[in-house]
Amino acid sequence: MKKAGWAILLVICCIGGYLALPSNYYLRRAAVHLFPKIDQYPIFENRIVKAGAPEPWKVSENYNTQSIPEKYLQVFNELGTVAFIIIQNDSLLFEQYWEDYSPESHSNSFSMAKSIVSLAVGCAIDDGFIRNVDQPVSDFIPQFKGFNGKQLTLRHLLTMSAGVDFREAYASPFSPTTQLYYGNNLEKIAFGMKEIEEPGKYFNYQSGVTQLLAFILEKATGEKLSSYVSRKLWTPMHAEEDALWSLDKKDGTEKAYCCFNSNARDFARFGQLVLNKGSWDDGQQLVSPAYLQKAITPDSTLLLNETEETNKNYGFQFWNLDYNGMRIPYMRGILGQYVFVIPEKNAVIVRLGHKRDKKYTFQHYPADIDTWLGAAMDMLDNKNTNKNKHK
């Protein structure tokens, strides 16, 4: 065998030995499954988020009387859309599915789950388990004492301004983000983060921070995250199907920063809850309006690390954008998972798919958003035009 062949064999053996180390469990899984996908929940252990009182959406009299405008279809197809629905006036106005997806098909939320965690924090404050968003993190996890004399609070976690050393990187198999997704010890990663700068100054998007929030919720409420979300949100919102929240191991911890698996119709309920200012159609107040308003309002006291611009797009684990003069709060996942809330139209839009555009516009705004909102707005406007014609 030539020297080059021996070198290759040696590298393979070294890599094999490295991957065999117990601490590199996540790398073995990453090597097998590669990049995250929307239908990967069967490779993980999952905990059921029980839908205890299912009720279907009311169906609009104009249900599916329109089609997605042709000018948007190329992007819909190129980015692998699997579901697109419009809820307006508390009713299902439009839905379309691609591939083998249906109204019951589960798809990963990815980082839309961060917004669900935020809503759960609001519930825990309402329940008295948490005093307020300015309660110190050290009340729950003593080692997080703050930096340079400034306490780390839940507000800092919610607004992604914690000042910790978590590196959000999706392309590297060695990043803590990959360890969170494919690993089997979320507590080690979240509790292992170090405070390296003053909290409450810079917006720095970090999935490990949301995972820390989930541990605080579990400690504060005395319940597993899935159980608490089922009891406080999923069941009262009358979700039709049980959801699945992926875990780091059997009987383990929810991957709270991602990996809430459900369908487009039921994801829309979170948007409707925001549209209703925290109440549901049967009159239940599930999250206080005051908390929810703060959650969907960008924290303008924060600066963006890379530009020193003022944060205009992120609140308490919710994104916010300006679209044609309308402020739209929304939930977002890395592969193009979206729930948009459009108060001016009394509407909620859900898009699920395999990809999102790699191009970004102002302050973390993926370019594909213009397609989903453009299509929805055109359909909503056309519906109203047709309605007026027939008066």
Side-chain angles (χ1 to χ4, degrees), residues 54-120:
E55 287 183 10
W57 285 100
K58 292 180 289 186
V59 177
S60 169
E61 62 180 13
N62 296 307
Y63 171 74
N64 273 15
T65 56
Q66 296 189 69
S67 300
I68 296 169
E70 187 174 354
K71 64 182 177 180
Y72 300 106
L73 288 178
Q74 181 176 345
V75 177
F76 269 78
N77 293 326
E78 285 179 352
L79 296 181
T81 303
V82 298
F84 187 72
I85 74 169
I86 302 173
I87 305 291
Q88 188 180 43
N89 301 327
D90 306 323
S91 300
L92 182 61
L93 176 65
F94 177 83
E95 63 183 338
Q96 185 171 339
Y97 302 91
W98 290 258
E99 300 177 11
D100 57 350
Y101 280 76
S102 73
E104 293 79 34
S105 298
H106 280 66
S107 180
N108 195 340
S109 68
F110 290 105
S111 286
M112 292 202 303
K114 293 179 170 71
S115 303
I116 301 172
V117 171
S118 175
L119 293 171

Side-chain angles (χ1 to χ4, degrees), residues 344-361:
E344 285 85 351
K345 301 290 185 180
N346 198 27
V348 174
I349 314 301
V350 179
R351 186 271 179 180
L352 305 177
H354 294 287
K355 293 185 287 186
R356 76 179 185 206
D357 202 309
K358 295 180 180 179
K359 293 181 291 186
Y360 285 75
T361 57

Side-chain angles (χ1 to χ4, degrees), residues 23 43 73 98 128 132 205 234-235 246 276 294 298 344 381 384:
S23 60
I43 74 172
L73 288 178
W98 290 258
N132 52 55
Y205 189 88
W234 204 237
T235 292
S246 298
N276 292 352
K294 291 178 182 176
E344 285 85 351
D381 290 343
N384 292 331

Side-chain angles (χ1 to χ4, degrees), residues 70-235:
E70 187 174 354
K71 64 182 177 180
Y72 300 106
L73 288 178
Q74 181 176 345
V75 177
F76 269 78
N77 293 326
E78 285 179 352
L79 296 181
T81 303
V82 298
F84 187 72
I85 74 169
I86 302 173
I87 305 291
Q88 188 180 43
N89 301 327
D90 306 323
S91 300
L92 182 61
L93 176 65
F94 177 83
E95 63 183 338
Q96 185 171 339
Y97 302 91
W98 290 258
E99 300 177 11
D100 57 350
Y101 280 76
S102 73
E104 293 79 34
S105 298
H106 280 66
S107 180
N108 195 340
S109 68
F110 290 105
S111 286
M112 292 202 303
K114 293 179 170 71
S115 303
I116 301 172
V117 171
S118 175
L119 293 171
V121 170
C123 293
I125 292 172
D126 293 341
D127 285 343
F129 294 126
I130 295 171
R131 288 201 304 270
N132 52 55
V133 296
D134 294 312
Q135 186 167 357
V137 171
S138 59
D139 285 358
F140 305 96
I141 306 172
Q143 65 261 40
F144 287 95
K145 300 182 184 300
F147 186 85
N148 200 26
K150 186 170 182 180
Q151 281 188 322
L152 179 67
T153 68
L154 269 68
R155 181 187 298 273
H156 300 139
L157 303 185
L158 287 163
T159 57
M160 295 289 186
S161 61
V164 295
D165 64 348
F166 187 94
R167 184 172 63 92
E168 192 83 5
Y170 305 114
S172 170
F174 303 101
S175 76
T177 319
T178 304
Q179 293 179 53
L180 282 178
Y181 187 73
Y182 282 121
N184 60 357
N185 194 338
L186 290 170
E187 184 171 326
K188 180 180 178 182
I189 301 164
F191 288 9
M193 294 187 299
K194 305 298 182 187
E195 295 165 286
I196 59 171
E197 62 183 18
E198 184 178 305
K201 186 175 181 181
Y202 289 109
F203 169 78
N204 188 13
Y205 189 88
Q206 297 172 311
S207 291
V209 166
T210 308
Q211 194 61 49
L212 195 61
L213 271 174
F215 282 114
I216 291 170
L217 275 169
E218 187 171 313
K219 188 166 185 179
T221 64
E223 288 185 61
K224 295 294 187 185
L225 182 59
S226 295
S227 171
Y228 192 66
V229 167
S230 169
R231 186 166 65 82
K232 299 298 296 185
L233 295 167
W234 204 237
T235 292

Side-chain angles (χ1 to χ4, degrees), residues 233-254:
L233 295 167
W234 204 237
T235 292
M237 292 192 307
H238 303 295
E240 290 187 71
E241 304 286 338
D242 291 346
L244 296 172
W245 213 324
S246 298
L247 310 177
D248 57 354
K249 54 182 172 291
K250 185 176 181 181
D251 300 322
T253 300
E254 288 87 349

Side-chain angles (χ1 to χ4, degrees), residues 25-37:
Y25 170 82
Y26 82 95
L27 277 176
R28 295 197 296 275
R29 298 188 86 179
V32 172
H33 299 290
L34 302 177
F35 295 106
K37 303 172 184 65

